[in-house]
Amino acid sequence: MATVEARRVSKQFGDVRAVDGVDLSTREGEFLVLLGPSGCGKTTLLRMIAGLERPTGGEILIGGQVVNDLPPRARRIAMVFQSYALYPHMSVFRNIAFPLKAAGMPRAEIPQKVEWAAALFGIERLLERKPRQLSGGERQRVALARAVVREPAVFLLDEPLSNLDAKLRASARDELQQFQRRIGTTTIYVTHDQVEAMGLGDRIAVMEGGRVRQIGTPAEVYDEPADTFVAGFLGSPPTNLVEAADVLVGFRPEHFLPREAHTDGGNLTTLPFHITRVEYLGADRILYGALEGRFEGARVVARLATTVEAKVQAGRTQDFAVRARELKFFDKVTGLRTTARVP
Amino acid sequence: MAAPAVRRWGLRAGHLGIVGLFTVFTAFPFYWMLITTFKRETDLLKRANNPFVYNEPPTLENVRILFEETLYGRWLANTLFVGLLVVVITLLLSLPAGYALARLTGRWGERLGIGIFLTYLVPPTLLFIPMARVIGDLGLQDSLWSLVLVYPSFTVPFCTWLLMGFFKAIPPDLEEAAMIDGHSRLGAFVRVVVPISVAGILTVVIFTLTLVMQEFVYALTFITAARNFTVSVGVPTFLVHGDVYFWGSLMAGAFISSVPIAILYNLFVDRFIAGFTVGAVK
Ligand SMILES: Nc1ncnc2c1ncn2[C@@H]1O[C@H](COP(=O)(O)OP(=O)(O)OP(=O)(O)O)[C@@H](O)[C@H]1O
Ligand SMILES: [Mg+2]
């Protein structure tokens, strides 16, 4: 077991700053997700932790030791690549045995260990096959088995589920999490899929433009976004942002409901909403439109669970409302969260 | 109703016709060498004879001359000796060079790769003059070692370039996975990259052997003693006297030395083709 820490780590590719002064530290046995849009530097950060890429600045620590000068093989890590990177010329058995042989494990002990790892992922039947004879889901399991077999101190996973179809992805996600809980190895998981991140992570580090914008539990980053980027990136549809005097006001579409649907009363902020389009998605209705009155013309979106029985209709203006405590305020210039209130 | 069937048969006949034509075209030299090998001198020289068949009973005389009155066996051994050494040298140099060009040199890799390929295009007929000086200074005149030294100058560039294409087609993830799984870069290269590139390595071996067997200019320039000749020099030197050609023995020599290469090609033909088309399609 070990923790991973990044201290002001950056990486420059020519004039591209892929990672820009990232500070990050995992807890013991934690499942940490790096989440961010394409090109924000997630993979680069992960590869620096793995030792495949050299940081141009800062320090990386694994288990409290600075590893900047250690090659990947000396870092006690295992990594699962997006492509799985199974060795195509070796059987599944030899793929899983590969790290053991490299570590110089006595020949006699290898089969037992390989079978243990294969059993963890239910792939005992596949040991004789070559990678090209496996389905995407099976390959992913082989890659995971190869990663755990050596019992590394840290797991690094780079979008390991992105090649699977939606249904398989859901079950693989579930398996992955159960497995991580069971062996309790510190894990860093890269994804650009927010559903995956919310579902898997103990904590999520939201990245953008090479920086970590916020790090926190799924509930923290969703409910208390640190800036407009995080507010806009998480949630679908994303947070509504409305300009008001010197601040931006944000509220989630699912908190923006017809006034009469707020049955528990409380402190409501009422906003007249002109609905232009209604999308029926089964469990939800998504309403597109613009505010009227004080915030004339600001485009916003509302999401009504189908269980909310309010009547809504495209082309009409209705009174919608948000509870005051669901309003988040952001600085107009920096985009950072502020406590300022609308006068 | 019948039209599609006719069309299909027409297509098939067309395919077979084309394949047949090429087969005849490529097999004909072998056929010609083979029958000439066993023909009597008189059969060969009589103009009225049909040249495609035996007009007189076949004979082993030509083969006897080749093996007993020339040093053909010795030449074969020389060729093999030079060929194998050149293969080893070529692999030792072009494997790391191709890998470095494919992975490690960044933007310059591409230009260097092209540069290396260009050197392959400089013809031996230009190079043998300066090479002769080098060989002379090294005191390797009339030694097979001169060929062992010179041949890599054209096999290495081509094979480096060929292997570079191969290595580029291997996803870097694989080596990185091997490095994380406990190997150094060299270890990853030996255990993962090389086994995946067998097709490329085989291509290099066959290609190098072929080049060595057919090379003429250097072998003629650097070697003077008959016992040090390679097949490609020995056979024409000893079986052509002025304008007298010992056709039977000449063809026997050519046939015997080309058959092993032909067999080698055929054994690995699939991989060989993969070698030349690698990276052509994503
Ligand atoms: N080897 C490289 N050379 C030059 N630029 C690179 C290199 N690797 C990455 N970059 C750049 O660094 C930035 C971050 O890339 P990175 O692969 O880390 O993004 P990512 O967050 O993993 O994106 P994705 O979700 O698409 O995988 C990108 O702008 C990319 O173009
Ligand atoms: Mg990536």
Side-chain angles (χ1 to χ4, degrees):
Chain A
M1 274 337 84
T3 58
V4 177
E5 196 178 336
R7 289 189 188 153
R8 306 221 55 73
V9 168
S10 32
K11 177 73 188 182
Q12 189 99 27
F13 289 115
D15 25 313
V16 182
R17 218 165 173 53
V19 172
D20 189 6
V22 165
D23 279 306
L24 192 75
S25 86
T26 69
R27 303 189 181 127
E28 198 70 48
E30 181 179 42
F31 199 122
L32 179 74
V33 177
L34 300 181
L35 173 69
S38 191
C40 70
K42 310 178 293 285
T43 298
T44 307
L45 179 58
L46 198 72
R47 288 170 57 85
M48 287 192 287
I49 295 170
L52 296 171
E53 212 80 70
R54 222 183 148 68
T56 37
E59 283 179 337
I60 289 172
L61 292 85
I62 295 178
Q65 182 199 2
V66 177
V67 294
N68 281 37
D69 293 323
L70 291 185
R73 64 178 183 280
R75 296 189 179 195
R76 300 205 305 132
I77 47 158
M79 183 158 167
V80 176
F81 292 77
Q82 182 171 352
S83 62
Y84 305 144
L86 300 180
Y87 309 120
H89 58 301
M90 299 181 189
S91 65
V92 168
F93 180 93
R94 287 188 50 215
N95 260 282
I96 301 176
F98 190 84
L100 300 178
K101 280 191 191 142
M105 179 180 269
R107 267 192 113 64
E109 295 170 29
I110 289 178
Q112 194 193 349
K113 195 83 198 191
V114 169
E115 268 146 38
W116 165 78
L120 272 182
F121 296 97
I123 50 169
E124 303 98 316
R125 297 175 298 107
L126 307 175
L127 289 176
E128 295 313 312
R129 299 226 203 138
K130 287 278 177 68
R132 66 168 176 281
Q133 299 164 317
L134 302 175
S135 74
E138 290 164 346
R139 280 179 204 181
Q140 184 233 351
R141 281 175 217 185
V142 175
L144 286 168
R146 185 178 69 185
V148 299
V149 74
R150 204 166 30 129
E151 301 184 48
V154 177
F155 273 129
L156 306 174
L157 301 107
D158 191 359
E159 312 209 18
L161 305 184
S162 63
N163 289 335
L164 306 181
D165 67 45
K167 203 164 169 191
L168 195 53
R169 191 147 58 201
S171 65
R173 195 160 70 207
D174 188 43
E175 266 175 38
L176 193 64
Q177 187 171 42
Q178 283 185 17
F179 156 77
Q180 198 269 346
R181 293 273 179 277
R182 199 162 63 224
I183 62 166
T185 303
T186 307
T187 301
I188 301 182
Y189 183 102
V190 162
T191 182
H192 61 257
D193 179 340
Q194 48 169 306
V195 179
E196 221 167 272
M198 301 290 282
L200 280 173
D202 291 325
R203 284 191 305 158
I204 300 177
V206 184
M207 289 185 67
E208 202 258 337
R211 293 164 182 266
V212 172
R213 291 305 190 92
Q214 186 176 6
I215 177 163
T217 63
E220 280 165 8
V221 291
Y222 190 84
D223 295 334
E224 303 297 338
D227 62 15
T228 49
F229 174 80
V230 178
F233 187 72
L234 289 171
S236 101
T239 300
N240 294 304
L241 288 172
V242 174
E243 219 168 294
D246 58 340
V247 290
L248 290 169
V249 185
F251 49 91
R252 296 253 170 224
E254 65 269 30
H255 295 143
F256 187 51
L257 302 175
R259 205 186 150 80
E260 65 271 22
H262 286 282
T263 46
D264 56 351
N267 189 359
L268 294 181
T269 306
T270 306
L271 300 160
F273 178 39
H274 179 76
I275 306 165
T276 51
R277 198 158 67 85
V278 178
E279 246 175 40
Y280 178 74
L281 298 179
D284 296 301
R285 280 173 294 176
I286 311 281
L287 316 179
Y288 298 87
L291 295 182
E292 289 186 350
R294 194 149 55 123
F295 304 109
E296 184 78 49
R299 305 208 61 83
V300 293
V301 179
R303 186 167 118 195
L304 263 61
T306 321
T307 48
V308 175
E309 281 176 12
K311 265 214 169 347
V312 289
Q313 204 179 342
R316 275 188 21 200
T317 302
Q318 286 174 248
D319 266 353
F320 272 54
V322 188
R323 265 185 300 205
R325 65 183 152 91
E326 307 294 359
L327 295 173
K328 319 286 181 214
F329 300 89
F330 302 95
D331 189 285
K332 228 170 174 171
V333 183
T334 61
L336 293 176
R337 187 81 175 270
T338 66
T339 48
R341 296 285 148 147
V342 193
Chain B
M1 20 153 247
V6 171
R7 214 179 116 82
R8 220 176 42 236
W9 279 105
L11 268 177
R12 227 179 125 72
H15 283 163
L16 286 177
I18 291 171
V19 172
L21 212 66
F22 272 100
T23 312
V24 170
F25 181 72
T26 48
F28 183 76
F30 282 89
Y31 170 74
W32 195 252
M33 286 191 285
L34 194 62
I35 61 163
T36 311
T37 298
F38 301 107
K39 271 190 183 176
R40 287 168 195 272
E41 191 82 10
T42 45
D43 185 357
L44 275 170
L45 297 181
K46 220 173 277 168
R47 300 192 66 181
N49 283 349
N50 177 355
F52 296 101
V53 295
Y54 289 106
N55 301 285
E56 296 172 26
T59 170
L60 284 174
E61 176 63 10
N62 295 323
V63 182
R64 190 196 61 77
I65 291 177
L66 183 67
F67 280 97
E68 291 187 359
E69 294 179 17
T70 74
L71 293 167
Y72 186 70
R74 172 92 201 186
W75 300 335
L76 272 182
N78 287 346
T79 308
L80 204 65
F81 170 79
V82 175
L84 291 181
L85 275 175
V86 173
V87 164
V88 170
I89 293 172
T90 304
L91 281 178
L92 281 181
L93 293 177
S94 58
L95 274 174
Y99 181 72
L101 284 177
R103 287 279 194 273
L104 305 175
T105 45
R107 203 147 28 103
W108 279 95
E110 193 118 346
R111 292 174 212 172
L112 277 173
I114 293 170
I116 286 181
F117 186 65
L118 287 180
T119 66
Y120 168 70
L121 300 179
V122 180
T125 37
L126 274 183
L127 279 180
F128 83 88
I129 302 167
M131 289 286 197
R133 265 304 284 276
V134 174
I135 297 298
D137 288 350
L138 291 174
L140 289 176
Q141 304 99 320
D142 202 17
S143 154
L144 285 174
W145 290 101
S146 66
L147 301 183
V148 172
L149 189 69
V150 167
Y151 285 169
S153 73
F154 57 82
T155 58
V156 169
F158 182 80
C159 295
T160 299
W161 182 80
L162 189 90
L163 287 172
M164 178 179 80
F166 255 91
F167 295 148
K168 274 191 178 162
I170 297 176
D173 284 7
L174 290 180
E175 293 147 64
E176 289 172 350
M179 283 163 69
I180 286 177
D181 282 347
H183 287 288
S184 60
R185 187 171 276 282
L186 182 66
F189 178 69
V190 172
R191 286 195 176 67
V192 174
V193 178
V194 168
I196 295 176
S197 316
V198 264
I201 292 168
L202 270 176
T203 310
V204 165
V205 170
I206 296 178
F207 182 80
T208 305
L209 274 179
T210 318
L211 277 183
V212 168
M213 293 204 79
Q214 65 174 31
E215 204 289 321
F216 186 74
V217 175
Y218 291 132
L220 185 69
T221 323
F222 299 150
I223 307 284
T224 39
R227 50 187 301 281
N228 286 338
F229 278 175
T230 53
V231 169
S232 60
V233 175
V235 168
T237 312
F238 275 81
L239 297 170
V240 181
H241 292 186
D243 53 1
V244 180
Y245 287 75
F246 292 81
W247 282 118
S249 309
L250 214 49
M251 288 298 140
F255 185 75
I256 292 168
S257 49
S258 57
V259 160
I261 291 279
I263 290 174
L264 209 58
Y265 265 91
N266 270 298
L267 281 180
F268 299 113
V269 68
D270 292 341
R271 306 208 142 187
F272 196 60
I273 289 169
F276 277 107
T277 54
V278 68
V281 260
K282 273 269 164 185

